[in-house]
Amino acid sequence: MKKLVLLGALALSVLSLPTFADEKPLKIGIEAAYPPFASKAPDGSIVGFDYDIGNALCEQMQVKCVWVEQEFDGLIPALKVRKIDAILSSMSITEDRKKSVDFTNKYYNTPARLVMKAGTQVSEGLTELKGKNIGVQRGSIHERFAREVLAPLGAEIKPYGSQNEIYLDVAAGRLDGTVADATLLDDGFLKTDAGKGFAFVGPAFTDVKYFGDGVGIAVRKGDALKDKINGAIAAIRENGKYKQIQDKYFAFDIYGK
């Protein structure tokens, strides 16, 4: 009888444990063409800061990550039709996007910058961009910024499917420059052979109207998943896992203020 009671107590204790491990896998949308945040290794696997952060969050929540690759401008539509459960792909938290999705708290925050030929002079007023061809990633906050701020100054805005395509045309001289996340531009272009002879020019862009309050993880409107992910972000910040991942890619605090 005592053994039966003991077994019963053990069963109840097991049932009372968190059940995240028994939940269905978490399908996370990502565009793997945005180094150092997400890109493809030679063997075809996804690597990068976003990917490692996502896996750490899934581990913290005790749920299996399933990564779903998608071009950036198709991520929100994929979320809405339930092809994916969350977007973890360096998506900035903006008021415009909040109309369609809910965001977690930020998991990093960096400014946008303009890259052009080294030595190009661009003032705070940006008037030197008149007649210049500026590449932007289609569907990004940088495209909206470029169309609403740079185009009225006379810049010619050229949308592309991925930032890697933009780098090719900047290096080949088919574009005069590009606007994107500063960290992305530094690691993905300026530090590469293709980026030699190019540099950051002009001011840093931080207008909340366009660049939001940092980068967060998008979920469907009203989804309780947001609170679970927020808890996991706080936990990996507290237990040192976030810093461990950050230090693998960056020599500075990418979380920001």
Side-chain angles (χ1 to χ4, degrees), residues 98-116:
K98 285 179 184 179
K99 297 173 185 176
S100 300
V101 299
D102 282 347
F103 279 100
T104 65
N105 297 332
K106 72 170 184 177
Y107 66 96
Y108 80 85
N109 192 9
T110 53
R113 293 295 304 269
L114 177 67
V115 160
M116 299 180 75

Side-chain angles (χ1 to χ4, degrees), residues 161-207:
S162 76
Q163 196 65 37
N164 287 337
E165 295 174 62
I166 296 174
Y167 296 153
L168 291 173
D169 278 4
V170 170
R174 290 185 287 269
L175 288 171
D176 296 300
T178 179
V179 172
D181 178 86
T183 306
L184 165 76
L185 291 170
D186 191 34
D187 279 71
F189 185 61
L190 295 179
K191 290 180 179 177
T192 69
D193 289 340
K196 289 179 179 177
F198 294 89
F200 289 126
V201 300
F205 304 122
T206 58
D207 190 337

Side-chain angles (χ1 to χ4, degrees), residues 207-225:
D207 190 337
V208 172
K209 175 182 176 181
Y210 298 103
F211 304 107
D213 299 307
V215 171
I217 300 166
V219 299
R220 283 182 288 277
K221 281 284 189 181
D223 196 332
L225 178 61

Side-chain angles (χ1 to χ4, degrees), residues 61-184:
M61 295 187 292
Q62 299 180 39
V63 65
K64 180 182 178 182
C65 271
V66 174
W67 293 90
V68 179
E69 290 186 60
Q70 180 88 44
E71 284 199 355
F72 191 81
D73 59 356
L75 286 169
I76 288 179
L79 180 66
K80 287 186 171 183
V81 299
R82 298 180 178 272
K83 181 180 178 182
I84 54 178
D85 303 308
I87 299 169
L88 204 168
S89 193
S90 291
M91 184 170 282
S92 295
I93 304 166
T94 66
E95 291 303 317
D96 189 51
R97 287 177 178 150
K98 285 179 184 179
K99 297 173 185 176
S100 300
V101 299
D102 282 347
F103 279 100
T104 65
N105 297 332
K106 72 170 184 177
Y107 66 96
Y108 80 85
N109 192 9
T110 53
R113 293 295 304 269
L114 177 67
V115 160
M116 299 180 75
K117 281 279 190 182
T120 302
Q121 297 299 312
V122 177
S123 63
E124 290 284 337
L126 308 173
T127 54
E128 296 86 352
L129 298 182
K130 183 177 181 180
K132 302 296 184 183
N133 292 313
I134 305 298
V136 291
Q137 186 170 8
R138 187 180 298 113
S140 69
I141 57 174
H142 307 99
E143 179 183 18
R144 182 189 172 205
F145 168 76
R147 291 195 182 283
E148 295 186 11
V149 176
L150 305 185
L153 296 174
E156 298 291 333
I157 309 306
K158 309 291 185 181
Y160 285 72
S162 76
Q163 196 65 37
N164 287 337
E165 295 174 62
I166 296 174
Y167 296 153
L168 291 173
D169 278 4
V170 170
R174 290 185 287 269
L175 288 171
D176 296 300
T178 179
V179 172
D181 178 86
T183 306
L184 165 76

Side-chain angles (χ1 to χ4, degrees), residues 17-86:
L17 289 174
T19 58
F20 289 123
D22 298 323
E23 291 186 356
K24 63 181 181 179
L26 183 64
K27 293 179 291 184
I28 304 178
I30 191 169
E31 184 200 39
Y34 202 66
F37 298 98
S39 59
K40 287 294 193 70
D43 65 1
S45 61
I46 304 173
V47 295
F49 178 76
D50 282 351
Y51 180 71
D52 287 356
I53 287 291
N55 287 328
L57 293 174
C58 285
E59 181 180 355
Q60 181 65 39
M61 295 187 292
Q62 299 180 39
V63 65
K64 180 182 178 182
C65 271
V66 174
W67 293 90
V68 179
E69 290 186 60
Q70 180 88 44
E71 284 199 355
F72 191 81
D73 59 356
L75 286 169
I76 288 179
L79 180 66
K80 287 186 171 183
V81 299
R82 298 180 178 272
K83 181 180 178 182
I84 54 178
D85 303 308

